[in-house]
Amino acid sequence: MTRTLPTLLVLVVALLTTSLCVADDLVRVFFDRDPDVLKMVLSTGFRTVLHRRGKFIDVVVPQGRLNDLGTRYRTRILQRAMDRYVINLARRPGWGGYHTFDELRQKLEDWEQRYPLHVSVETIGYGWDTKRGLAHRPVYLTTVGTPAPGKPAILLLGGIHAREIATVDVILQIIENILNDDKERKKLDDVVIYAVPCLNPDGREIVFSGRIWWRKNCRPGHDGRVVGVDLNRNFGHHFGNNPPRGGSSGAPSSETYRGPCAFSEPETRALQLLLQRKDDIVSSLAFHSYGGFLVVPFGYNGNWPPHESLYRSVAANITRDTDWNVGTVRELLGYYSNGRHDDWLYGGIKNKERVLSFQVEMGDTFFTETRKLPSLAKEVGSVVSHLMSRVSLKPAITLETMPPTEDAVRHLALRVQNQRLAPLHGLSITLISPTGRRYHVASELALAGQLRGRGPASIRRLLTLPTEEATGRFAVTVAWQGGSVIRVIDMENSSIRSVLED
C-alpha cells in the first residue's frame, strides 16, 4: 500500500497537469501592409485556421507563447483556452448547452408532436459508426412546412465539419424561432424548409470526446482505426480535380482527405439520394464556421458560376442585415477546394435543375460560446428568412396605357414576369376592368424561372378595351400551380402601382 500511494499521487498530478496545460488561444494577427507578417507567423509552426489575404491570419497559440508572434505585430485574442472550453463543455450534462445526439433526436421528436401540421422527421442515412455496430446515430431530415406541387423549397445543412459545432445548434434555434413566430411561420405557406441539422453526427461525437480539432467523419482505415474523410471534398463535381491548383488530398492522414471516390461516404450518399427525390429544392444554405462570409461556387476553379448576376443579386438581398463579405472561396480566403457540396448542388447533379447554393461561414471561432448562440442564430436566421421570401416571390405585374388612337378604343399592355428561381406552370391570367368585365388573357402557360426552365420568363399581352373601360382601377388575377395573386392597379394614380412590385 505504501508503494502504491505515491504512484497514484504521481498519476493524479500528471493528469491534473495535463488538464491544466490544455489551453490554446485563438489569436488574430493583422498584416497592416507588412509583407513579413505572414512569413513570420508560418515560421512559428502554430496551427493556422483562417487566412484572409492581405488582412489577417488566425492561429492557435499555446497560452504564454503570444510573444512568439513578435511584439511589433498587431494581434487580438479572439478566444481564450479553446481546448479547455470544449472539454469542460463535454463534461457537463447536455454538453453545457450544445445538443448531444440524444438531445437532437428529442428536439426533433418534440417538434413533430408540437407542430404536427408543420414538422415531419425522417432518417436519410447513417454514419460509419452505425454501419459498424458501434453506435446508432442516424442522419435526420427535418421537413418544416408542407410540400406541394409548385411550392419551392430551401435546403439547410449543418454539422458537415465536426469541429464546427455551432452549425448544428444554430439550425435548431433558427427552426425553433420560425415555428414560434407567427410572421415567420406564415412564410411556410409559400415555401418549404428541408433541414439536415447534422450531416456528420459521428464526427461531432469525436469532438466532444476531447479531440476538438477533428474535422472529418469516422471512415475506418485498413487496420480498423478511424482515418475519416472530409465530407466537403467528397461530392461529385470536379472531385479530386487538383492540378494545378490543389483543393483536396488523397492522403488519409490529411484534414482534407477526399476519400477513395466521389460519394464514397454514407453521409454524402444520403444527401445525394435526397436531392434525387426532392425536385422542389431551388436554393441551399450550408452552415460552416467561421469568418462572416457568404461563399458562392465554384471552389474548384475560383470562378463565379454562369448565373453570376443572379448570385450577386440574391446574395445582396439575403445578407442585407449582416456585414458579411460575398465571393468564391478563392476570393475570400485565397485557396481552391474541389468536391464541395455547393459546387455539386449548383453544377453537378445529374438530370436535375441547378440549385442556387451558398456556403455560410458564420461566427468568429469554431467553438462559439453557448452564451453567444442566440445572437448568432438571430444573425444567420435573418439570412434564412430573407431567402425564404426571395425564393417565393410573387410574379411582377405591370399594366400600361398605349398611345391613343383615333378609334373609340384604348390599348393596354399587360406584362407578367416570373421573379422566382423555378418555373411557374399552369399559369392563367385574368384582367377585370373597372366596370367588372373579365378579360381572359392567358391560360395553361409556363414561364421559365431565373435559374431554371426554358423559354420566356415573362409574358406581354396587348388588350383592346372600349374607352369607357380603360381608366380607373383594374384587378389582375394570376394563378399558377401552387399559388395565386391578385393585384389592383389604378391607371390614374401611379402610387397604387407600387403594390405590384412587393
Side-chain angles (χ1 to χ4, degrees), residues 221-337:
H222 295 301
D223 58 1
R225 290 184 297 180
V226 172
V227 296
V229 165
D230 181 347
L231 297 181
N232 202 29
R233 302 295 184 274
N234 190 244
F235 290 89
H237 190 61
H238 289 269
F239 171 83
N241 183 17
N242 277 0
R245 302 181 179 90
S248 63
S249 174
S253 60
S254 171
E255 284 196 337
T256 58
Y257 175 46
R258 58 181 172 261
C261 63
F263 298 109
S264 61
E265 305 311 291
E267 299 91 345
T268 55
R269 283 202 304 274
L271 201 60
Q272 181 188 34
L273 294 174
L274 173 66
L275 266 293
Q276 287 176 358
R277 63 185 176 91
K278 296 296 185 184
D279 292 331
D280 50 350
I281 296 175
V282 298
S283 188
S284 69
L285 291 172
F287 296 173
H288 292 257
S289 58
Y290 65 98
F293 308 124
L294 188 69
V295 183
V296 305
F298 288 110
Y300 78 93
N301 65 4
N303 298 329
W304 281 71
H307 290 90
E308 178 177 350
S309 60
L310 177 61
Y311 259 103
R312 291 189 182 278
S313 172
V314 174
N317 176 275
I318 66 178
T319 61
R320 62 181 183 267
D321 294 336
T322 74
D323 59 357
W324 295 356
N325 294 300
V326 179
T328 67
V329 70
R330 178 185 61 83
E331 291 174 330
L332 297 172
L333 300 173
Y335 64 86
Y336 298 89
S337 55

Side-chain angles (χ1 to χ4, degrees), residues 66-285:
L66 185 60
N67 286 340
D68 289 12
L69 296 175
T71 56
R72 70 186 181 94
Y73 303 117
R74 186 164 61 96
T75 61
R76 177 159 64 94
I77 297 178
L78 301 179
Q79 188 175 26
R80 293 188 181 275
M82 291 182 297
D83 307 55
R84 187 182 298 167
Y85 176 72
V86 178
I87 290 172
N88 286 339
L89 281 179
R91 290 172 178 165
R92 300 175 191 168
W95 289 347
Y98 278 97
H99 285 77
T100 66
F101 187 80
D102 286 340
E103 290 173 340
L104 168 63
R105 179 191 294 115
Q106 292 168 6
K107 169 71 76 174
L108 302 183
E109 291 175 352
D110 178 60
W111 284 344
E112 278 193 302
Q113 294 176 2
R114 289 166 52 201
Y115 306 99
L117 300 179
H118 292 100
V119 178
S120 62
V121 181
E122 62 181 291
T123 296
I124 61 171
Y126 300 91
W128 283 103
D129 278 1
T130 301
K131 291 172 71 70
R132 299 169 72 195
L134 303 177
H136 182 67
R137 303 189 193 103
V139 176
Y140 289 118
L141 170 71
T142 303
T143 301
V144 186
T146 305
K151 190 174 181 180
I154 63 174
L155 174 66
L156 306 182
L157 296 173
I160 297 171
H161 287 146
R163 65 192 179 202
E164 298 165 16
I165 57 178
T167 61
V168 176
D169 296 84
V170 163
I171 286 182
L172 295 178
Q173 186 61 63
I174 288 172
I175 294 176
E176 185 81 51
N177 293 344
I178 291 173
L179 293 173
N180 290 326
D181 185 286
D182 291 342
K183 182 178 178 180
E184 291 300 306
R185 193 170 62 247
K186 180 66 176 174
K187 292 181 180 179
L188 298 176
D189 293 343
D190 299 314
V191 64
V192 176
I193 297 175
Y194 295 120
V196 180
C198 189
L199 186 66
N200 183 11
D202 293 347
R204 182 175 168 87
E205 201 75 20
I206 285 182
V207 170
F208 279 103
S209 71
R211 299 173 66 182
I212 74 164
W213 291 104
W214 189 258
R215 168 186 171 96
K216 301 182 284 185
N217 72 349
C218 285
R219 181 184 183 87
H222 295 301
D223 58 1
R225 290 184 297 180
V226 172
V227 296
V229 165
D230 181 347
L231 297 181
N232 202 29
R233 302 295 184 274
N234 190 244
F235 290 89
H237 190 61
H238 289 269
F239 171 83
N241 183 17
N242 277 0
R245 302 181 179 90
S248 63
S249 174
S253 60
S254 171
E255 284 196 337
T256 58
Y257 175 46
R258 58 181 172 261
C261 63
F263 298 109
S264 61
E265 305 311 291
E267 299 91 345
T268 55
R269 283 202 304 274
L271 201 60
Q272 181 188 34
L273 294 174
L274 173 66
L275 266 293
Q276 287 176 358
R277 63 185 176 91
K278 296 296 185 184
D279 292 331
D280 50 350
I281 296 175
V282 298
S283 188
S284 69
L285 291 172

